[in-house]
Every structure is written in structure tokens, then in C-alpha cells.
């Protein structure tokens, strides 16, 4: 992982098997869409040979943003598990509830706060170091 990337990682699990992995690659790829969730979803779709990830769970260290929540809805992911909340951009609980909004055509169950302290500490340290640089 590029040291300038925000340290967010994601995996997609389907039938007890990791089918996709991703970490932020925006700087590395010069791609504004290369968030950890999107990278993991793309790999999972390729691995499974289908864009529909109905039986999949995405696990990510930081609450998904609006773009990633939209990608999760589009891919029909069954469940999203995340660690640290994102009070400035979170679209699963903090600012919006995109993933389980009853107005959406697809809803994913959400499990928030798994290893929250560890995930938040990793992000705090990254931003603390970035400010010192």
C-alpha cells in the first residue's frame, strides 16, 4: 500500500471464502473511485463471474462513504460489516443510512463497530503522522 493512502482495507466473503480484497488506491492509481470497497467488489465480481454478490458480506475498517454505499447497493451485497464510524462521510449510519434505507430497491444488513477502537486508532495515527509531515 502507498504510504500516502488512507489506510482503509476491505474484504468480500462469500460462502466462508474470501473472494475479494482491496485497500485504498486513489493516489497509487490516480483513480478517484479506487476506494477499498470498490477495489474489493471488483475483485469479488471477477472471482465469482457475476456482478451480483447476493450471498456476499463486505467487511471494511471504515464506514463506507456515499459512493461506496451506492456500489454496495448496486452489487446487491447481503451484509456490510465495518469498524470505525466516519462522522464526516459515513453513509451506513453516521450521515446517511443508504445501505438499509427502505426506499432503496436493495437493502443490506449493517453491523457497525466491529473492532472499532483498533480501526479508529489506525486511522488516527495515520492522520496524526500526515499532519506532522
Amino acid at each position: 500500500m502507498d504510504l500516502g493512502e488512507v489506510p482503509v482495507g476491505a474484504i468480500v466473503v462469500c460462502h466462508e471464502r474470501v473472494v475479494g480484497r482491496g485497500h485504498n488506491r486513489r493516489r497509487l492509481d490516480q483513480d478517484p473511485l479506487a476506494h477499498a470497497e470498490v477495489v474489493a467488489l471488483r475483485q469479488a465480481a471477477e472471482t465469482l463471474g457475476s456482478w451480483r454478490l447476493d450471498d456476499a458480506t463486505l467487511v471494511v475498517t471504515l464506514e463506507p462513504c456515499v459512493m461506496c454505499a451506492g456500489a454496495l447497493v448496486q452489487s446487491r451485497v447481503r451484509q456490510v460489516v465495518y469498524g470505525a464510524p466516519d462522522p464526516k462521510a459515513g453513509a451506513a449510519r453516521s450521515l446517511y443510512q443508504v445501505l438499509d434505507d427502505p426506499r432503496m430497491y436493495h437493502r443490506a444488513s449493517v453491523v457497525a463497530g466491529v473492532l472499532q477502537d483498533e480501526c479508529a486508532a489506525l486511522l488516527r495515527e495515520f492522520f496524526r503522522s500526515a499532519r506532522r509531515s
Side-chain angles (χ1 to χ4, degrees), residues 119-131:
C119 293
L122 178 71
L123 290 159
R124 270 193 309 275
E125 180 53 35
F126 170 80
F127 288 112
R128 189 175 298 125
S129 293
R131 283 190 296 275

Side-chain angles (χ1 to χ4, degrees), residues 59-63 81-86 111-117 119-120:
V59 182
V60 63
T61 53
L62 181 65
E63 180 180 5
V81 177
Y82 70 87
D86 187 347
V111 178
V114 174
L115 297 173
Q116 179 176 332
D117 294 340
C119 293

Side-chain angles (χ1 to χ4, degrees), residues 7 13 22-23 40 54 60 75 103 111 128:
V13 179
H23 58 81
D54 306 273
V60 63
S75 64
R103 297 169 295 179
V111 178
R128 189 175 298 125

Side-chain angles (χ1 to χ4, degrees), residues 87-102:
K88 294 183 179 179
R93 289 288 181 269
S94 296
L95 293 178
Y96 308 102
Q97 293 78 44
V98 172
L99 297 171
D100 56 2
D101 187 320

Side-chain angles (χ1 to χ4, degrees), residues 10-61:
I11 61 169
V12 178
V13 179
C14 189
H15 303 293
E16 300 182 21
R17 182 172 70 111
V18 175
V19 295
R21 290 180 170 82
H23 58 81
N24 279 355
R25 299 179 54 94
R26 290 188 313 169
R27 288 175 181 241
L28 185 64
D29 295 348
Q30 290 301 300
D31 178 358
L33 306 180
H35 288 206
E37 298 94 326
V38 172
V39 173
L41 288 171
R42 285 179 175 153
Q43 190 178 91
E46 185 176 329
T47 299
L48 296 173
S50 176
W51 64 269
R52 293 186 69 105
L53 304 176
D54 306 273
D55 294 326
T57 297
L58 179 121
V59 182
V60 63
T61 53

